[in-house]
Amino acid sequence: MTTASPPPATLGTLPKPAKRAQKRPQKRSWSGWLFIGPFMAVFALVFLAPIAYSIFLSFFRNQLVGGNGFVGFANYSQALQDPQFWSSLLRVTLFLAVQVPVMLLIALLVALALDSGRLYGKSFFRISIFLPYAVPAVVASLMWGFMYGTRFGLVGNVNNALGTNLPNPLSPELILASIGNIVTWEFIGYNMLIFYSALRVIPKSLYEAAEIDGASQFRLVTAIKLPAIRGALVVAGIFSVIGSFQLFNEPAILQSLAPNSISTYFTPNLYAYSLSFSGQQYNYSATVAIIMGVITMVIAYAVQLRGMRKES
């Protein structure tokens, strides 16, 4: 079968090149701003405006002579030399170094147990462990504060019933550990859910290939599951760092039960709150808040860089 081929082009009959389409100036469309405009307005109002106003306040100081005057970075210099500020910062740093690893480790073990498929009543355990996260921090602090009481609470009842002398969880030596216990109880379920969700998206083919090779359950965890959820571990770590530096509700609620153990500068946020609402030092309170925001942002960013470097 033969096919008809086009006649060869000759010099006199060469087709003229098509004219290049002239670029027309595209009209800028502003319709996208109609969708993001409301969000940007609310974001600027509730997020950017308070930060800008706090920074503005931090450059002023209310003085007995002259009233509220501009002092530049004098408030920042005062905060960096304030022993109460450094005491509160070191306390939350110790809290972060001890409580966060313990909480994340327990949450990881629970998530691995739920994902193993060998736990009976998995749905019940998952809901039970997550349930404390639904309890408001104020209610949780009041509940644990009552149990910590040696005269009216669970510890006191145990001492009276058994004739024991259990240590006072609200004493100055144990108050930080007691607060850590409350925070751990509240947020294990939240972090467990992050880890468990990451474990559920791991392809089953990886498990099947490892089982064919004779890998044990421990090997599955160390070689497949933990590397696969490293991003979730980094995210949970960043959230925990931010939450630790924002510690406020638990010590503020327990302060009325243990006034000798929890001072007005127990945490940086509690210190800023006391300066503002008890000491009427709004400018210095804004300065402490701005410094803590910067420190939190730097440490959270360092944790993110460290996690991404390991992941790469």
Side-chain angles (χ1 to χ4, degrees), residues 137-165:
V138 175
V139 177
S141 301
L142 289 173
M143 181 183 68
W144 278 99
F146 177 77
M147 289 192 291
Y148 287 157
T150 55
R151 291 183 298 176
F152 50 84
L154 179 63
V155 176
N157 293 334
V158 171
N159 287 334
N160 295 332
L162 303 179
T164 56
N165 188 20

Side-chain angles (χ1 to χ4, degrees), residues 146-310:
F146 177 77
M147 289 192 291
Y148 287 157
T150 55
R151 291 183 298 176
F152 50 84
L154 179 63
V155 176
N157 293 334
V158 171
N159 287 334
N160 295 332
L162 303 179
T164 56
N165 188 20
L166 296 177
N168 183 9
L170 299 177
S171 62
E173 295 79 14
L174 297 178
I175 189 63
L176 192 60
S178 301
I179 294 175
N181 176 59
I182 299 174
V183 176
T184 303
W185 179 81
E186 287 178 307
F187 289 95
I188 278 183
Y190 174 77
N191 293 289
M192 177 271 298
L193 197 62
I194 295 177
F195 299 151
Y196 182 70
S197 301
L199 288 170
R200 299 304 295 173
V201 299
I202 298 176
K204 300 298 181 184
S205 58
L206 293 178
Y207 298 146
E208 296 172 356
E211 291 176 355
I212 292 175
D213 292 339
S216 62
Q217 288 296 322
F218 180 77
R219 185 62 179 167
L220 288 178
V221 171
T222 57
I224 296 179
K225 293 185 178 182
L226 291 183
I229 66 170
R230 184 169 295 162
L233 289 169
V234 173
V235 171
I238 293 173
F239 288 165
S240 300
V241 168
I242 296 173
S244 297
F245 282 117
Q246 292 179 343
L247 187 65
F248 176 78
N249 289 329
E250 291 79 7
I253 297 299
L254 295 179
Q255 192 177 27
S256 59
L257 302 176
N260 296 327
S261 302
I262 301 178
S263 60
T264 55
Y265 54 92
F266 190 78
T267 67
N269 276 4
L270 189 60
Y271 186 38
Y273 176 85
S274 303
L275 287 171
S276 179
F277 293 96
S278 299
Q280 305 296 320
Q281 302 182 46
Y282 307 110
N283 305 107
Y284 190 51
S285 174
T287 306
V288 172
I290 292 298
I291 292 176
M292 281 309 304
V294 173
I295 292 175
T296 304
M297 183 174 60
V298 169
I299 295 180
Y301 186 66
V303 172
Q304 181 183 4
L305 285 182
R306 182 71 175 175
M308 292 175 61
R309 184 181 304 171
K310 284 186 175 181

Side-chain angles (χ1 to χ4, degrees), residues 11-125:
L11 293 176
T13 58
L14 285 177
K16 296 180 179 179
K19 293 183 178 179
R20 298 179 61 182
Q22 295 181 353
K23 292 185 177 179
R24 296 181 177 178
Q26 296 181 353
K27 294 183 178 179
R28 185 181 296 273
S29 176
W30 298 94
S31 59
W33 288 100
L34 296 177
F35 294 96
I36 66 172
F39 165 77
M40 295 297 294
V42 174
F43 181 77
L45 181 64
V46 304
F47 185 79
L48 298 180
I51 294 177
Y53 185 62
S54 298
I55 295 175
F56 173 77
L57 287 178
S58 66
F59 291 114
F60 290 83
R61 180 180 295 174
N62 193 5
Q63 301 171 343
L64 294 177
V65 179
N68 197 19
F70 181 78
V71 293
F73 290 93
N75 288 329
Y76 291 92
S77 177
Q78 179 184 351
L80 296 179
Q81 300 175 9
D82 189 349
Q84 295 181 345
F85 171 72
W86 285 109
S87 174
S88 62
L89 180 59
L90 292 177
R91 189 173 292 108
V92 293
T93 303
L94 176 63
F95 181 85
L96 167 66
V98 176
Q99 186 269 336
V100 170
V102 172
M103 177 183 64
L104 295 183
L105 178 61
I106 297 175
L108 178 62
L109 293 177
V110 174
L112 290 173
L114 292 174
D115 184 68
S116 65
R118 301 184 178 185
L119 188 65
Y120 293 101
K122 184 172 64 176
S123 300
F124 171 76
F125 283 107

